[in-house]
Amino acid sequence: MISPEQAGVIIMLVGIYGLMTKRNPVKLVLSVNVASLGLVLFFVGLAYSPGKDVPIMPTEPVDPLPATLMLTTLVVDVAITSLALAMIMRMRRENQWFP
């Protein structure tokens, strides 16, 4: 069975492949998102500890820092994606981009 770390690396490689092979700006933005989600999966898989409790009044807690950082990464990724897509729409409206 494939581990979450391996799946994250594979998904990152798919995103990087999309960045190298596509010329359409929307597909480039989506490739960046795929690579970012692969990175999040990789780090969440690394932080997984079987048999540990949630960090609210636990006896043996799991470290909440990786999950917190990955949640922040997802929020920043959504903001960057919306900004990039808005810029692409603006460039197409002004006929500055001819893919």
Side-chain angles (χ1 to χ4, degrees), residues 9-75:
V9 169
I10 291 170
I11 293 171
M12 276 191 290
L13 291 175
V14 168
I16 292 170
Y17 175 76
L19 282 172
M20 292 188 304
T21 59
K22 303 300 178 190
R23 292 184 45 90
N24 188 344
V26 175
K27 290 181 182 179
L28 289 173
V29 171
L30 291 177
S31 296
V32 169
N33 280 339
V34 168
S36 174
L37 290 177
L39 183 71
V40 169
L41 180 60
F42 176 76
F43 279 118
V44 169
L46 281 179
Y48 175 70
S49 299
K52 299 271 183 150
D53 293 332
V54 294
I56 301 172
M57 297 183 63
T59 56
E60 200 174 327
V62 68
D63 186 20
L65 185 63
T68 305
L69 291 174
M70 291 305 107
L71 182 61
T72 305
T73 301
L74 291 174
V75 170

Side-chain angles (χ1 to χ4, degrees), residues 87-99:
M87 289 173 62
I88 290 169
M89 288 174 55
R90 185 80 180 256
M91 287 189 313
R92 284 197 178 176
R93 188 177 336 134
E94 295 175 359
N95 292 327
Q96 292 179 356
W97 188 279
F98 301 103

